[in-house]
Amino acid sequence: MTDRIAPAVQEALVGGQLSCAVAFQIAERLGVEPIEVGKTADRIKVSLSHCQLGLFGYGSKVEGKHRIVKPMADVPEELREAIQGSLVDGRLPCAMAWKIATQLGRPKLDVSNAAEALGIRISHCQLGAFPKSKGHS
């Protein structure tokens, strides 16, 4: 399986990195789970960039510019309830953040911004970009 994934990842690189959105497109095109694309990228030493939830890959981590998440000033009650009702061990799994965005017709970044405002970390990256135990946000 990874025999097909690695070349697809290599072909999709921009500046030596693989964007989250493109990783998901590769997974869909090849009929594999996104985690397999993430694992392959990791195995071939390719960094993921431009997380669709805004958590990483936007600039220098040392300079604190790697994420674009900003706490939402006023979290709508419907969004707050959806996030709080989707927590697993006090964290919001990435897949649930995506599901909430779809269900509420909101950008994925809105969900991250709301989670940030609520002090809730996002975990379980669908591409395996950060350890399940740590999470982000």
Side-chain angles (χ1 to χ4, degrees):
M1 185 62 64
T2 58
D3 297 300
R4 297 180 348 189
I5 299 173
V9 167
Q10 291 287 353
E11 290 172 15
L13 298 180
V14 174
Q17 296 184 321
L18 179 66
S19 78
C20 174
V22 172
F24 274 87
Q25 290 170 1
I26 292 170
E28 186 174 332
R29 187 175 76 236
L30 298 179
V32 299
E33 292 297 319
I35 191 70
E36 294 305 318
V37 176
K39 285 180 181 178
T40 300
D42 189 50
R43 183 177 52 80
I44 63 175
K45 309 277 190 267
V46 168
S47 295
L48 297 172
S49 68
H50 295 90
C51 165
Q52 293 178 77
L53 291 173
L55 301 173
F56 62 86
Y58 289 89
S60 169
K61 190 170 187 173
V62 172
E63 295 174 17
K65 298 179 181 178
H66 61 291
R67 36 187 315 213
I68 59 172
V69 174
K70 303 286 184 225
M72 187 176 277
D74 185 28
V75 180
E77 191 59 32
E78 182 181 42
L79 182 52
R80 176 188 309 271
E81 288 175 3
I83 289 171
Q84 290 174 332
S86 300
L87 300 180
V88 175
D89 295 328
R91 294 190 170 106
L92 180 64
C94 174
M96 291 306 299
W98 282 41
K99 184 176 179 180
I100 291 167
T102 299
Q103 288 175 337
L104 299 181
R106 299 186 74 100
K108 294 175 184 101
L109 187 57
D110 275 5
V111 178
S112 295
N113 290 339
E116 183 78 8
L118 298 171
I120 295 170
R121 297 175 66 87
I122 295 176
S123 65
H124 297 81
C125 171
Q126 297 173 81
L127 295 172
F130 44 83
K132 291 179 183 178
S133 60
K134 288 186 180 177
H136 273 274
S137 191

